[in-house]
Amino acid sequence: MMLYVVRHGIAVDVGEEGVRKDAERFLSAEGRRKTAEVGRGLNTIGIKPDVILTSPLVRARETAELIAAELEGVPPVE
């Protein structure tokens, strides 16, 4: 079994763009761009996960979904 752990992309800070607490932080524009690049890189090297699991935090969920969108034939994010 191969396990890949990916940390969430760059997120806005508390106090920016209406974010009032850590759990509400979402990916910044740069974070979304760089995360999609990571997904494309994983796709290029042939990574095909059987499952994609994520924390329910906004920034983690966005990261998982962006990466999954760049991979071919992967299951939905859980």
Side-chain angles (χ1 to χ4, degrees):
M1 175 192 316
M2 295 294 294
L3 176 66
Y4 298 91
V5 178
V6 178
R7 189 174 189 277
H8 65 76
I10 302 166
V12 299
D13 291 324
V14 172
E16 291 182 16
E17 300 187 42
V19 174
R20 297 187 306 168
K21 56 186 175 181
D22 185 66
E24 297 174 350
R25 293 175 56 215
F26 54 88
L27 297 183
S28 66
E30 179 183 12
R32 287 189 296 276
R33 181 181 55 77
K34 287 184 174 184
T35 298
E37 286 177 14
V38 168
R40 285 190 292 277
L42 292 171
N43 191 59
T44 298
I45 62 173
I47 301 302
K48 303 274 190 257
D50 295 323
V51 64
I52 300 175
L53 303 173
T54 184
S55 157
L57 292 176
V58 175
R59 61 191 177 268
R61 180 90 191 174
E62 287 177 322
T63 297
E65 290 174 351
L66 284 166
I67 289 174
E70 297 296 336
L71 299 175
E72 297 172 10
V74 298
V77 173
E78 296 180 39

